[in-house]
């Protein structure tokens, strides 16, 4: 009964001073909403980066050769020999160029890649209709092509492109397969491309040697060891480590996660300071409230209220102020995150764990910063309190 009476009196005190109560809670509201917004955006950005790099393949190493002195490329045979490195599941050399693709009165500028059949496994590209490139296509420099779904739509609309001819920079190629849609990645669209046999691309694009290739690991855990072996082999071949670059999506993901986590923690810490400031504000207002209600406290003690009753009343009032502010802050924070989701290019992730932590923290603030004023009220002597005007 005493506990519920204390709750009722605390609520009446808060409702009776609406503006002061709101201003008291404002620091908590700003702190909680800021923490939720910052951590949610940080989590969303981190997930976006992870997804983007993950699309490139966490079990994949991409090598680009810039050249050093007379050595500016490798032969397809030299690249394929890298498949003997322990832990390597496949190697796919690539020759890339830009072409104008034409089908009757439709044309588009697109990328063309000369590849081997291993490309299907290494890059995880598969056909939805038709077939993939074969070794015989490469051996006899066949003018056959695989077409990406985006390029196919531009050139053929809703028609099936498999078995039909297209012209690439004036040369006629027969489409033998339509690739499955892969979407976009950090490297651009995966669907706006055409694949042709590697040997055909050497002659068609007038390019000799391989300057880029991908190495796929059997297990992502093998990536560091494979990367080290690749660096040794390529340094020996090219003569200088600055003559090539090995892109490791797995390492980039780990680096991005550390950077994002550090930034989010720093910003959340700064926002968390406002929670402390809000707690100090609650304590100050509660001290003012004790001073204003000194005579009331004296009367209650004179008619039998114990020290614990007075302490409980003011503690409950402090906790109500902080948790109510925390609840408003959670609502405001989630609302800001929802709004941010409409103005950011990535999918928003709500930091639900931070919502629970923020509410718990606001409760703790109410307890910690309510102790001093509540204790001050409880220790007042009735005769001194009654003499106060």
């Amino acid at each position: 009964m005493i506990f519920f009476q204390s709750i009722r009196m605390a609520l009446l005190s808060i409702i009776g001073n609406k503006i002061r109560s709101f201003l008291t809670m404002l620091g908590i509201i700003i702190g909680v909403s800021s923490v939720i917004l910052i951590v949610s955006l940080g989590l969303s950005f981190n997930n976006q980066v992870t997804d983007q790099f993950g699309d490139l393949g966490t079990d994949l190493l991409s090598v680009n050769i810039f050249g050093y002195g007379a050595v500016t490329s490798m032969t397809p045979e030299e690249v394929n020999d890298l498949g003997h490195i322990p832990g390597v599941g496949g190697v796919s050399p690539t020759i890339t160029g830009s072409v104008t693709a034409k089908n009757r009165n439709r044309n588009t500028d697109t990328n063309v890649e000369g590849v081997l059949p291993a490309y299907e496994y290494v890059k995880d590209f598969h056909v939805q209709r038709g077939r993939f490139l074969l070794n015989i296509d490469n051996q006899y420099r066949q003018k056959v092509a695989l077409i990406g779904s985006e390029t196919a739509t531009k050139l053929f609309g809703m028609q099936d492109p498999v078995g039909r001819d297209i012209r690439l920079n004036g040369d006629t190629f027969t489409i033998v397969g339509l690739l499955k849609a892969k979407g976009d990645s950090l490297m651009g669209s995966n669907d706006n491309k055409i694949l042709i046999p590697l040997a055909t691309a050497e002659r068609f694009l007038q390019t000799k040697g391989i300057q880029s290739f991908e190495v796929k690991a059997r297990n992502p855990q093998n990536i560091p060891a494979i990367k080290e072996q690749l660096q040794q082999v390529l340094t020996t071949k090219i003569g200088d480590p600055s003559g090539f670059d090995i892109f490791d999506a797995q390492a980039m993901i780990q680096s991005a996660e550390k950077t994002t986590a550090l930034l989010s923690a720093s910003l959340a810490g700064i926002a968390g300071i406002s929670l402390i400031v809000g707690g100090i504000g609650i304590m100050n207002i509660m001290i003012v409230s004790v001073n204003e209600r000194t005579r009331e406290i004296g009367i209650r003690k004179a008619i039998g209220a114990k020290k614990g009753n007075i302490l409980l009343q003011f503690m409950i009032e402090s906790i109500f102020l902080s948790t109510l502010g925390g609840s408003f802050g959670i609502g405001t924070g989630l609302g800001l995150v929802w709004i941010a989701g409409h103005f950011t290019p990535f999918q928003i992730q709500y930091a639900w764990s931070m919502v629970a932590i923020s509410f718990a923290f606001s409760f703790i603030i109410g307890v910690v910063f309510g102790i001093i004023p509540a204790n001050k009220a409880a220790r007042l002597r009735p005769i001194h309190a009654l003499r106060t005007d």
Side-chain angles (χ1 to χ4, degrees), residues 14 53 96 146 173 176 186 209 214 267 287 301 320 338 350 388:
I14 293 172
F53 282 117
T96 306
L146 300 174
F173 283 75
V176 295
L186 290 175
E214 282 76 35
L267 294 175
I287 290 174
K301 281 200 165 188
F320 264 39
W338 182 82
Y350 290 91
T388 304

Side-chain angles (χ1 to χ4, degrees), residues 121-147:
Y121 164 72
V122 173
K123 296 282 286 181
D124 195 29
F125 272 79
H126 305 283
V127 295
Q128 55 179 297
R129 282 196 296 277
R131 65 170 177 84
F132 208 83
L133 299 176
L134 304 174
N135 285 322
I136 195 171
D137 296 326
N138 185 69
Q139 182 180 353
Y140 290 101
R141 292 189 172 89
Q142 299 289 335
K143 289 189 175 182
V144 293
L146 300 174
I147 189 169

Side-chain angles (χ1 to χ4, degrees), residues 27-42:
I28 301 293
I29 293 172
I30 293 173
V32 169
S33 59
S34 299
V35 168
I36 292 174
L37 176 63
I38 290 169
V39 174
S40 293
L41 290 179

Side-chain angles (χ1 to χ4, degrees), residues 57-68:
T58 55
D59 58 352
L60 204 65
L61 293 172
S62 298
V63 180
N64 290 297
I65 300 173
F66 311 121
Y68 183 78

Side-chain angles (χ1 to χ4, degrees), residues 2-3 6-7 10 286 290 293 297 300-301 305-319 366-368 370-380:
I2 294 174
F3 178 74
S6 298
I7 292 177
M286 290 303 299
V290 170
R293 294 154 65 185
I297 295 168
R300 290 191 63 198
K301 281 200 165 188
K306 297 179 180 179
K307 180 180 177 180
N309 302 140
I310 305 298
L311 182 68
L312 180 63
Q313 178 189 341
F314 282 90
M315 282 296 296
I316 288 175
E317 189 171 331
S318 174
I319 292 171
V367 174
V368 172
I371 287 176
I372 295 176
N375 190 54
K376 179 182 178 181
R379 293 176 62 185
L380 283 173

